[in-house]
Amino acid sequence: MRIVVLTGAGISAESGVPTFRGKEGLWRKYDPRDLATPEAFRRDPKVVWEWYNWRREMIAKAQPSEAHRILAELERRRDLRIITQNVDGLHQRAGSKKVIELHGNIWRVRCVICRVRYYDERVPLEDLPPKCKECGGLLRPDVVWFGETLPQEELEEAYRLSSEADIFLVIGTSAQVYPAAELPFVAKRSGARVIEINPEETPVTPYADLSIRKGATEGLREVLDQL
Ligand code: OAD
């Protein structure tokens, strides 16, 4: 039986990493057009990097939550795959091996000139904006910004896994950002049992087979015996 899990910022909220759209959400305080678009980066790469430095610092201090750990443990025993919209790498730090990152990874940088990508986990990065170690070009965070397409291989794999799932768990996403938000529909159409864990209702709620109005850890504990 294949279990596929789609996660969003809500699972990392339990690690103390802020979400985007909630009451304390990042997009309440910051305008994504100033910080998370290719245009913003072209206009002022230093400001964008300062914001990413701040987020990297916050994430570096955070620990994977119990929910991250439960999923990592399940992966060891079951046919379970994680598709995440999160860029924080907390699933991997909890021990998950097969994580599909739809929106990139905040610990990876990419050269806008020679396109090389590599991990640079220094906190903070100094001499902003940082320069490519290969060609000296401008580096950007290797994350997906508004108006950009998702990495094709990851997206294809995510669609494939979703269509092959027997159980599809949706944890901690507001399901407002496409194409990630389409994956639970894909799973449902292909016959999966869709289980949502989120303290709030989302567009997934009406067609979920089970919707648990709780936080990620508590909700996961509740469904463990059904998996
Ligand atoms: P959002 O911030 O949009 O939604 C977070 C969801 O987590 C909300 O539905 C909350 O109700 C829920 N939540 C809050 N606390 C929770 C808890 N303890 N346990 C479980 N759920 C909880 O975050 P995403 O849906 O992940 O994109 O946002 C999707 C994308 O929008 C992000 O990947 C990011 C953002 O712009 C990019 O950066 C490209």
Side-chain angles (χ1 to χ4, degrees), residues 7-14 18-22 25-27 32 36 52 55 67 84-87 102-103 143-146 150 171-177 180 196-202 214-217:
T7 63
I11 194 167
S12 296
E14 299 193 348
T19 63
F20 295 94
R21 292 177 184 76
L26 293 174
W27 298 152
Y52 276 88
R55 286 181 60 200
T84 190
Q85 299 165 83
N86 300 342
V87 298
L102 287 179
H103 293 164
V143 299
V144 176
W145 282 329
F146 287 94
L150 274 60
I171 307 178
T173 175
S174 62
Q176 291 186 31
V177 175
E196 177 184 55
I197 301 174
N198 195 313
E200 292 180 19
E201 283 194 15
T202 77
K214 288 187 175 157
T217 301

Side-chain angles (χ1 to χ4, degrees), residues 7-212:
T7 63
I11 194 167
S12 296
E14 299 193 348
S15 298
V17 178
T19 63
F20 295 94
R21 292 177 184 76
K23 272 188 243 83
E24 305 286 316
L26 293 174
W27 298 152
R28 289 279 176 103
K29 291 191 213 105
Y30 303 95
D31 186 337
R33 284 169 301 189
D34 296 335
L35 298 163
T37 64
E39 293 74 29
F41 189 70
R42 273 198 294 275
R43 219 165 30 234
D44 198 340
K46 189 161 180 264
V47 161
V48 171
W49 264 114
E50 278 164 357
W51 192 65
Y52 276 88
N53 250 350
W54 171 70
R55 286 181 60 200
R56 284 162 63 108
E57 206 166 341
M58 214 159 37
I59 293 164
K61 285 189 199 135
Q63 294 303 321
S65 67
E66 187 58 28
H68 289 111
R69 282 195 287 267
I70 291 173
L71 291 178
E73 169 58 23
L74 271 177
E75 186 188 294
R76 284 191 273 276
R77 296 188 281 112
R78 306 288 299 277
D79 179 4
L80 179 139
R81 297 292 303 268
I82 296 171
I83 304 168
T84 190
Q85 299 165 83
N86 300 342
V87 298
D88 53 33
L90 285 170
H91 283 300
Q92 293 89 329
R93 274 172 60 196
S96 290
K97 303 277 180 229
K98 292 177 273 184
V99 183
I100 297 179
E101 294 180 317
L102 287 179
H103 293 164
N105 188 301
I106 200 165
W107 299 110
R108 215 166 45 223
V109 293
R110 183 168 97 219
C111 178
V112 301
I113 304 298
C114 74
R115 315 243 166 229
V116 67
R117 302 156 192 255
Y118 55 93
Y119 284 87
D120 187 337
E121 305 198 354
R122 285 174 296 168
V123 175
L125 286 172
E126 280 163 11
D127 298 324
L128 300 181
K131 300 291 182 317
C132 175
K133 66 177 182 188
E134 302 291 331
C135 77
L138 180 62
L139 287 173
R140 59 166 279 179
D142 194 19
V143 299
V144 176
W145 282 329
F146 287 94
E148 294 186 314
T149 51
L150 274 60
Q152 194 180 337
E153 241 176 72
E154 279 82 351
L155 188 59
E156 277 171 16
E157 176 80 339
Y159 275 115
R160 189 182 63 77
L161 288 173
S162 303
S163 68
E164 290 173 355
D166 296 298
I167 293 181
F168 194 90
L169 273 174
V170 191
I171 307 178
T173 175
S174 62
Q176 291 186 31
V177 175
Y178 280 78
E182 200 192 343
L183 298 173
F185 285 100
V186 172
K188 176 78 181 177
R189 261 203 319 266
S190 311
R193 176 169 151 80
V194 173
I195 303 177
E196 177 184 55
I197 301 174
N198 195 313
E200 292 180 19
E201 283 194 15
T202 77
V204 173
T205 310
Y207 67 88
D209 295 284
L210 175 64
S211 199
I212 301 177

